[in-house]
Amino acid sequence: LGTWRMGESRADATREVAALVLGLDLGMTLIDTAEMYGEGGAEEIVAKALQGRRDDAFIVSKVYPQNAGAKSAPAACERSLKRLRTDRIDLYLLHWPGSIPIAETVEAFERLREAGKIVRWEVSNFDTRAMRSLEATKNGGHCATNQVLYNLSERGVEFDLLPWCAGRQMPVMAYSPVNQGALATHRKLSALAAAHDVTAAQLALAWTMRDPRVITIPKSSTLARVDENRRAAALVLTPDVTRQLDGLFPP
């Protein structure tokens, strides 16, 4: 369950909380958020959705690059914990590479992990070169995963980053798996999906999940769409459909 653009409007809060609650009820237990989303507002939405059921969810949150220093990272983490109303974050990310040395960020993350504030840490928007640099850093091998842009129309990570991560048994998290809704209304994708009695969005999500090492985090504040997304997990793409998708969206 993604939460980008949540927590930005009080008028939408009830609907957003309900969407996350439904997702949890349907077994979508990983919730991805960030201090950047709604400047903390999305984390507060997550807290409301998890009221009385914190242990049902795997919380992922992210720190701004400018807040990823030796002193600033612990402070940012405490603010996220307060907004999330929890005692730990299951997976804490560096949102994207910044000017603070990665070694300093890793050290800060390791201290947070040892203190029990976070359970694991990872990075986001790191290309292969950045991942190699991270791996060469002390404790860099503790990175749990890399969250990147990945969908049918954005396949660049397939060339080197996905194989690099696979070689290290490192899963990848795919954000914007429906390309911010563009794939849900793609004419040719919609025609192919209709031929198989599914929606274009479901086909796009199933495609990202064809590899068990890829975790996909679609965001929706609409109950019907949350249910639609959940049902995509049951789809298994045949080789023929995969070939047709490669034809529509060449790697």
Side-chain angles (χ1 to χ4, degrees):
L1 297 166
T3 64
W4 184 48
R5 304 306 299 268
M6 287 188 179
E8 297 181 357
S9 168
R10 289 184 179 180
D12 295 331
T14 299
R15 183 166 56 93
E16 291 167 349
V17 170
L20 294 181
V21 169
L22 176 61
L24 286 168
D25 291 342
L26 294 174
M28 302 164 75
T29 55
L30 185 151
I31 301 180
D32 177 81
T33 190
E35 67 172 349
M36 186 189 82
Y37 300 168
E39 290 301 317
E43 291 179 323
E44 294 175 346
I45 292 293
V46 172
K48 292 176 182 177
L50 291 179
Q51 189 170 2
R53 58 188 305 184
R54 166 63 183 91
D55 291 340
D56 290 347
F58 185 96
I59 297 178
V60 181
S61 195
K62 313 178 192 71
V63 61
Y64 272 122
Q66 63 268 29
N67 290 341
K71 294 183 179 179
S72 56
C77 184
E78 288 293 345
R79 292 193 295 270
S80 287
L81 288 169
K82 184 177 180 179
R83 287 188 292 263
L84 289 163
R85 302 179 200 168
T86 186
D87 61 344
R88 85 275 183 197
I89 295 171
D90 296 296
L91 187 59
Y92 198 46
L93 288 70
L94 173 62
H95 209 151
W96 64 85
S99 59
I100 294 174
I102 189 61
E104 182 178 340
T105 298
V106 170
E107 184 178 353
F109 283 176
E110 284 292 299
R111 289 201 308 271
L112 287 168
R113 186 175 63 83
E114 291 167 0
K117 302 292 185 178
I118 66 175
V119 182
R120 306 164 189 81
W121 60 266
E122 67 157 321
V123 294
S124 182
N125 298 302
F126 271 46
D127 60 17
T128 309
R129 179 182 296 181
M131 291 302 292
R132 290 196 182 103
S133 297
L134 172 61
E135 185 180 47
T137 301
K138 181 181 177 182
N139 292 319
H142 291 174
C143 179
T145 182
N146 185 11
Q147 186 178 124
V148 295
L149 174 65
Y150 185 42
N151 57 55
L152 273 168
S153 53
E154 297 287 348
R155 301 181 61 170
V157 296
E158 292 179 355
F159 289 100
D160 54 7
L161 182 62
L162 289 188
W164 189 93
C165 291
R168 288 153 180 79
Q169 302 298 307
M170 181 185 293
V172 169
M173 298 182 73
Y175 70 77
S176 294
V178 192
N179 199 14
Q180 299 183 41
L183 290 171
T185 57
H186 189 280
R187 182 173 58 82
K188 292 183 178 180
L189 181 61
S190 296
L192 177 59
H196 294 276
D197 199 28
V198 297
T199 67
Q202 287 175 324
L203 198 53
L205 291 174
W207 180 86
T208 62
M209 292 186 288
R210 72 198 187 285
D211 185 335
R213 294 167 296 189
V214 176
I215 302 159
T216 189
I217 46 174
K219 175 262 180 179
S220 180
S221 300
T222 305
L223 298 182
R225 181 56 61 82
V226 171
D227 181 67
E228 176 185 336
N229 291 346
R230 174 63 180 88
R231 287 184 281 115
L235 302 181
V236 178
L237 303 184
T238 65
D240 181 59
V241 169
T242 300
R243 284 193 294 269
Q244 291 181 72
L245 289 172
D246 283 341
L248 291 176
F249 305 94

